Amino acid sequence: MPYGTPPRQLERERSNRFLATLPPHDFALLAQHLRTVTLERGAMLHDAAEEIERVYFPHNGMVSLVAVMQSGATIETTTIGRAGVIGASTGLGAKHSVGRAIVQLPGTAAWLSASQFHAAANGSQAIRDLIVRYNNLLLAQAQQSVGCHALHTMEARLCRWLLQTHDCMEGNAIPLTQEFLAQMLGARRTTVTLAAKLLQSAGLIRYRRGLIQIVDRPKLEKLSCECYAVVRRYTDRIFLPSDGA
């Protein structure tokens, strides 16, 4: 048991796939510094071009990386849940963020300082290798997102986004407003409203103000564009457990 970390805490931290993928010795380099924080909805973990001070490993909930325009308009580029990390590039020496990281769905996360994460990565080839693979995953998600916004219908994109969000949750009820969905999908609210009504009429979701209930996930996956499955497969390959993990 690394550095006297309580068993329940170890189990909770290992619910994050990045941490769970590391071999025990390498995980121990991080475990001695990890603390737990509640992620409140709407909290900004870091802003665009801001120095990154903390690295977060979500246990649940969802964080969005968003691009911010001069007008103040935003659009999501990447969704991060229990499979991800916020601030992973600091392990390789990066200092500043590329985009804004904002909590979209509340939850909990383990965190440590960026300097502690960098020091642990310097002492572990396994951590450095996993950071490189994870950064490739973020790039793949961003590239897939660009293609998705340009080529796929709103209904398919909404299905994809709901599936990604559902993966971050522990139940079927997702607290989302249509205004928020429109912002994340880069679409008009009326367009998102129409798409949501079509999904509800087909029996895939139930929607009432501020809450979406996933009713038929298999059908949601069938109607989703290819992007959800592509990113999901890539994610699973990235987080194949190392020997001894």
Side-chain angles (χ1 to χ4, degrees):
M1 187 181 304
Y3 303 94
T5 307
R8 288 185 179 178
Q9 181 179 340
L10 278 178
E11 183 179 351
R12 182 175 62 247
E13 311 308 7
R14 289 291 203 170
S15 67
N16 176 274
R17 290 184 72 181
F18 185 99
L19 296 177
T21 300
L22 293 170
H25 171 75
D26 303 274
F27 171 66
L29 296 176
L30 300 176
Q32 60 180 319
H33 302 297
L34 292 175
R35 284 169 271 181
T36 301
V37 64
T38 298
L39 301 178
E40 301 288 350
R41 186 173 186 174
M44 190 185 304
L45 304 184
H46 60 67
D47 206 353
E50 188 174 76
E51 184 172 355
I52 302 174
E53 297 181 352
R54 291 183 174 185
V55 178
Y56 298 86
F57 305 87
H59 304 140
N60 46 50
M62 188 182 78
V63 177
S64 290
L65 299 186
V66 299
V68 185
M69 303 295 106
Q70 289 184 351
S71 65
T74 61
I75 187 167
E76 184 183 66
T77 59
T78 308
T79 300
I80 298 178
R82 63 172 62 94
V85 187
I86 297 94
S89 59
T90 60
L92 301 180
K95 298 291 185 183
H96 297 87
S97 64
V98 175
R100 176 180 295 170
I102 187 166
V103 179
Q104 303 293 9
L105 298 176
T108 62
W111 72 272
L112 76 172
S113 71
S115 60
Q116 289 169 334
F117 187 56
H118 186 225
N122 278 341
S124 167
Q125 184 66 47
I127 294 177
R128 293 196 301 275
D129 288 346
L130 186 54
I131 293 170
V132 170
R133 299 203 307 272
Y134 181 70
N135 283 342
N136 285 340
L137 171 61
L138 292 183
L139 178 60
Q141 286 189 54
Q143 289 179 326
Q144 199 73 32
S145 179
V146 170
C148 188
H149 283 294
L151 301 173
H152 296 147
T153 66
M154 175 52 62
E155 289 79 10
R157 288 166 54 201
L158 179 56
C159 289
R160 170 188 62 83
W161 203 89
L162 290 173
L163 288 167
Q164 289 177 340
T165 306
H166 191 223
D167 288 344
C168 299
M169 302 295 294
E170 294 180 341
N172 291 324
I174 306 174
L176 296 172
T177 64
Q178 291 181 1
E179 182 178 357
F180 165 72
L181 281 170
Q183 186 181 33
M184 290 298 99
L185 292 168
R188 294 179 180 274
R189 181 177 175 178
T190 52
T191 305
V192 174
T193 298
L194 178 59
K197 286 181 177 178
L198 289 173
L199 296 184
Q200 182 165 256
S201 297
L204 278 64
I205 64 173
R206 280 196 297 268
Y207 178 78
R208 58 185 173 86
R209 187 171 181 83
L211 191 70
I212 292 178
Q213 183 88 19
I214 303 297
V215 176
D216 194 331
R217 182 179 169 112
K219 286 186 179 179
L220 207 61
E221 291 182 5
K222 287 182 180 179
L223 288 182
S224 172
C225 57
E226 65 199 72
C227 300
Y228 172 74
V230 168
V231 173
R232 183 68 181 266
R233 286 195 298 268
Y234 199 102
T235 301
D236 289 341
R237 288 199 302 270
I238 289 296
F239 292 119
L240 285 174
S242 303
D243 292 340

